[in-house]
Amino acid sequence: PKKKGDQLISERLENPVQSPGQSLAADTGYDLAASQPTAQPAIPSEPTGFPDTAADWCLGIDVGTTEITAALFNQETQQHYPIVWQESDPDPNPARLSGLPAIAYLSAQQLERSPEAPATLSYRALESELMASGQPGAAPTGLLLSHFKPYLNAAIAYQDEQTQDWHPVLQWSDQQPLALRWVQAALVALLSALQGKHESGLIATIAGTSATDRDLALKQLTSIVISCPIGWSDTYCFNLREAVLATGLVTRPDQIYFVEDAIAALLDAQHKATTTEQDEPSPYPTATSNATTPLTGATLVISAGATTTELLLVDLPADRAQLTREDLYRRSISYAGDAIDQDIICQILYPSAWNWDSLDLQSLDLPLPGEPDQQARNQLHQRLRGSDLGRHLLNAARQLKLALCQNDAATFQLSDQQWTVNQQDLHSRVTLPYLQQLNRELNALLNQSGIVVQAVRQVICVGGTTALPAIAHWLKQKLPNTHLIQDHSPTTDHFRIARGLALLPLYPQMLDSVRHQYGEYFLLHELIRVLPAEPLSVGRILQLLESQGINTNFCQRTILSFLEGQLPAGLLPTKTSLNLLTIASRHHPDYQLLTTTPLFFREGNQIYGFNPDVRDRLQRYLTAILATAHQTLAEPLMVELGVGMAGGIISADY
């Protein structure tokens, strides 16, 4: 059956992209939320059985840029139960989706009030926008929130005690400011939909089970594991923890863990290759679902979705218990599906376009193809989503990309202009620079690990962007002896990362335990709380922290970086994220003082003291952040993870 989202996305485009003999918007299941296809899955078979006794459950949540996927793992039976979504409309044969589209709609009336839960989510959010914008002579129609994941890595929302205003304020588009708090509220609402707490138009289900079974499993959660791109900050983890705690899925912040996407993909492939676990609840087949031989030897993982591309290289031992985080070599590029869409516009459509004066792209420094070029891409994205033309172009670029994964050429028409784009155009102008970036990062991993290209035995590809044919072609040339573990269509198995996340209790050594327990926000909070006003030596500072029960052997590097003037990335807007904010927000007094004057001054040889004005301002700033938070930063987070393993705070013997 055709999904509601297919019809809506067709209505949003004046003239959909055409490949030979078909309309992409109508026939390929294009996801309204954005950069990758969604399948038209068959109804999954019922699982082999749902546990009827109390047990510990782990929930893996893959918070993607375009959708949220989730899977439950029962630690007693060691069985996965992927969560699927079906429309809430009465239907004897409901279509099922692997993920919840990560979009929300804020009405014009809501935007005049303090941030609150969005009016609608998922497909209903798109319906709300279409209804509002379709009213003749209507006033401002509200705002559709999508692709907001990167903002959760850029800053933390807090409320001014005197004015009650929320800061920071994002420059969502050229015309639309938006408090970051709205983004947080949208994320909370989307995660609450897992429990059926928000009307999204889609119901979270476990195939072949009842809502009662789902609720029982969620009530018995002992841990939640969330995806985190390689290299993303503790600010992202703080924001995601806050959203999960607001839903009530778990009650303690130490029950929420973070694992990188590429590691989760590796764990899922490794687990599937060594077990006979049945995955009937999943509507998507996986390339390794029938494998019984453990994955061993040099293995490359490429995870590329909408925002980032991750590479992981590891020499897998025969015994999975011997695999540790120290064995993993990782790299990340801030370039993926969304950036490819921008480059299609800038490198293919824009050079031959006319009547695009309203976009005024010539006034921008356009990003270089294949390059992260973050500031330029932020400004371009604000410009594009600030107009109907820009939004049409972003949708068309996504459809062109999808069409060229399946056809040699595709045609796009907008008003009186028409483009015919072939795979060679896409490759030479957009994909080739991206592959050159991937090649450089892979070479760095090979050099770092000492693994030679001939030794790489398998490559695991996950994420919609890895469906680009050029990536498989490059891998076959670069790694001649490798076996490619990838789905046979551009429709990827969206549950791979969610399942891998939920497996963390079986692989506790894959957790960055030090970062979990001694997060940067906790350590900074302790420094400000514990240290006296007078300057102290580094040794004395460490002793004071140790007297509070902190094992400084594990976190000494972070403490020294604070003393030298660095603060947690995202606590204050960084140079690359400043243009995400309005001009007024960039010049807020809190940011101005805290970014221009260091927290500590140094006297002589490793003697450090507070700059008193900065300490007082930073203390008030942290207090404002924590005033509306569920996290207190009062204690290190416990590490209670593992099947049949004792938990507790890590020690020197860990």
Side-chain angles (χ1 to χ4, degrees):
K2 184 185 291 186
K3 297 194 301 296
K4 201 177 290 185
D6 297 330
Q7 300 164 349
L8 293 173
I9 201 68
S10 297
E11 294 172 17
R12 292 190 61 164
L13 288 170
E14 295 178 9
N15 295 286
V17 174
Q18 300 283 334
S19 53
Q22 67 177 154
S23 162
L24 251 74
D27 297 331
T28 63
Y30 183 75
D31 184 356
L32 73 152
S35 64
Q36 55 196 5
T38 34
Q40 303 284 359
I43 301 299
S45 304
E46 293 188 5
T48 53
F50 199 80
D52 55 3
T53 58
D56 291 339
W57 290 81
C58 178
L59 175 64
I61 306 177
D62 179 15
V63 180
T65 304
T66 62
E67 66 178 7
I68 294 174
T69 57
L72 284 159
F73 181 70
N74 186 286
Q75 296 184 35
E76 181 179 329
T77 64
Q78 298 195 16
Q79 171 76 34
H80 274 114
Y81 295 85
I83 292 176
V84 295
W85 300 85
Q86 65 185 45
E87 293 189 17
S88 55
D89 297 339
D91 190 334
N93 251 335
R96 289 195 172 102
L97 304 176
S98 65
L100 178 68
I103 57 174
Y105 179 74
L106 309 176
S107 69
Q109 294 75 24
Q110 279 190 300
L111 289 171
E112 296 174 355
R113 302 194 294 264
S114 183
E116 60 188 13
T120 51
L121 301 176
S122 180
Y123 294 128
R124 291 191 175 174
L126 190 52
E127 291 173 340
S128 298
E129 187 207 29
L130 288 170
M131 291 176 62
S133 61
Q135 297 174 3
T141 57
L143 186 67
L144 190 74
L145 278 181
S146 66
H147 291 243
F148 53 75
K149 178 178 176 177
Y151 294 102
L152 299 168
N153 189 47
I156 287 190
Y158 71 101
Q159 191 172 29
D160 188 288
E161 185 178 5
Q162 295 180 337
T163 67
Q164 297 299 297
D165 293 332
W166 283 95
H167 301 285
V169 179
L170 307 172
Q171 191 65 58
W172 183 257
S173 69
D174 280 356
Q175 297 82 28
Q176 179 68 60
L178 183 75
L180 177 63
R181 183 69 172 183
W182 282 110
V183 174
Q184 289 184 318
L187 178 63
V188 172
L190 286 163
L191 294 176
S192 296
L194 286 166
Q195 307 157 286
K197 288 184 178 180
H198 195 286
E199 188 62 33
S200 65
L202 294 172
I203 300 174
T205 66
I206 302 171
T209 69
S210 66
T212 302
D213 291 331
R214 177 204 64 195
D215 293 341
L216 178 62
L218 292 177
K219 286 179 181 178
Q220 295 176 354
L221 287 178
T222 57
S223 56
I224 293 178
V225 187
I226 303 174
S227 58
C228 179
I230 291 172
W232 278 32
S233 67
D234 279 13
T235 294
Y236 177 77
C237 298
F238 187 95
N239 281 328
L240 267 291
R241 270 201 184 96
E242 207 47 46
V244 170
L245 291 170
T247 67
L249 282 165
V250 291
T251 58
R252 305 195 321 266
D254 57 4
Q255 293 175 282
I256 305 167
Y257 302 87
F258 293 88
V259 170
E260 295 88 335
D261 300 38
I263 295 179
L266 175 68
L267 295 184
D268 177 62
Q270 179 79 339
H271 185 71
K272 290 290 293 178
T274 55
T275 68
T276 57
E277 178 186 12
Q278 299 297 309
D279 262 341
E280 285 87 358
S282 168
Y284 299 99
T286 62
T288 58
S289 58
N290 296 320
T292 56
T293 304
L295 298 180
T296 57
T299 302
L300 173 68
V301 180
I302 299 179
S303 173
T307 302
T308 60
T309 300
E310 299 184 4
L311 292 90
L312 180 151
L313 187 62
V314 59
D315 190 0
L316 288 173
D319 182 0
R320 75 181 187 187
Q322 297 178 5
L323 180 65
T324 67
R325 281 185 67 92
E326 288 68 33
D327 299 321
L328 310 177
Y329 298 89
R330 290 154 286 164
R331 307 282 287 192
S332 180
I333 311 169
S334 298
Y335 184 100
D338 284 353
I340 289 174
D341 299 336
Q342 290 183 340
D343 287 345
I344 289 173
I345 295 172
C346 295
Q347 304 301 321
I348 298 177
L349 303 180
Y350 178 57
S352 59
W354 61 87
N355 295 331
W356 285 14
D357 295 340
S358 61
L359 288 179
D360 194 24
L361 294 186
Q362 64 272 14
S363 67
L364 300 177
D365 291 328
L366 297 181
L368 296 173
E371 297 289 338
D373 223 349
Q374 205 60 57
Q375 293 191 34
R377 294 195 182 279
N378 291 341
Q379 291 177 334
L380 175 61
H381 198 56
Q382 291 166 357
R383 179 68 53 83
L384 290 172
R385 69 180 170 196
S387 71
D388 288 339
L389 174 59
R391 290 190 291 271
H392 285 325
L393 290 172
L394 283 170
N395 280 322
R398 290 164 191 153
Q399 293 198 56
L400 277 169
K401 179 178 62 181
L402 176 58
L404 293 174
C405 286
Q406 306 174 56
N407 303 280
D408 293 333
T411 298
F412 162 56
Q413 185 172 340
L414 180 65
S415 299
D416 58 345
Q417 299 176 72
Q418 180 171 298
W419 293 260
T420 297
V421 184
N422 56 47
Q423 285 192 11
Q424 183 56 38
D425 293 329
L426 180 67
H427 180 69
S428 61
R429 302 187 195 184
V430 177
T431 312
L432 182 58
Y434 176 41
L435 293 180
Q436 290 169 341
Q437 280 269 13
L438 288 177
N439 197 64
R440 287 192 292 269
E441 296 298 327
L442 178 54
N443 286 340
L445 285 179
L446 292 168
N447 290 333
Q448 186 181 4
S449 65
I451 296 173
V452 296
V453 292
Q454 293 82 3
V456 179
R457 298 178 58 178
Q458 53 259 330
V459 179
I460 302 165
C461 291
V462 294
T465 300
T466 62
L468 290 169
I471 291 181
H473 182 71
W474 164 67
L475 287 170
K476 290 174 183 176
Q477 286 187 321
K478 180 74 174 182
L479 306 170
N481 300 326
T482 194
H483 167 59
L484 188 61
I485 302 176
Q486 185 180 33
D487 299 299
H488 299 296
S489 75
T491 301
T492 57
D493 176 6
H494 293 181
F495 290 119
R496 279 186 176 181
I497 291 178
R499 283 197 310 258
L501 294 168
L503 284 169
L504 188 62
L506 292 185
Y507 299 86
Q509 70 273 23
M510 289 293 101
L511 175 70
D512 187 344
S513 300
V514 174
R515 184 182 182 187
H516 174 80
Q517 182 176 0
Y518 295 131
E520 291 183 341
Y521 280 77
F522 165 74
L523 290 174
L524 179 63
H525 187 264
E526 283 296 284
L527 275 174
I528 294 174
R529 186 182 70 84
V530 171
L531 297 191
E534 65 270 13
L536 296 174
S537 67
V538 170
R540 181 57 182 150
I541 290 172
L542 295 178
Q543 286 178 357
L544 286 175
L545 292 173
E546 288 169 359
S547 69
Q548 302 300 311
I550 297 174
N551 190 329
T552 59
N553 290 330
F554 290 110
C555 51
Q556 183 171 325
R557 181 179 298 179
T558 302
I559 295 167
L560 292 177
S561 72
F562 291 158
L563 297 177
E564 289 295 330
Q566 296 182 36
L567 292 176
L571 175 64
L572 304 172
T574 63
K575 183 180 294 186
T576 56
S577 65
L578 271 178
N579 64 353
L580 294 174
L581 310 183
T582 62
I583 294 177
S585 202
R586 295 176 210 171
H587 294 92
H588 191 280
D590 283 339
Y591 296 155
Q592 287 293 297
L593 177 64
L594 295 175
T595 55
T596 56
T597 309
L599 177 59
F600 290 93
F601 64 86
R602 183 165 65 176
E603 287 184 355
N605 185 24
Q606 293 192 323
I607 304 293
Y608 294 90
F610 281 114
N611 281 310
D613 291 344
V614 180
R615 177 183 185 167
D616 293 344
R617 177 62 68 96
L618 185 57
Q619 198 163 28
R620 289 197 300 271
Y621 180 56
L622 286 173
T623 299
I625 289 173
L626 295 175
T628 56
H630 297 80
Q631 301 168 75
T632 65
L633 304 181
E635 299 287 343
L637 298 185
M638 300 287 287
V639 179
E640 297 180 328
L641 193 66
V643 178
M645 295 180 61
I649 295 181
I650 59 176
S651 67
D653 297 324
Y654 181 83

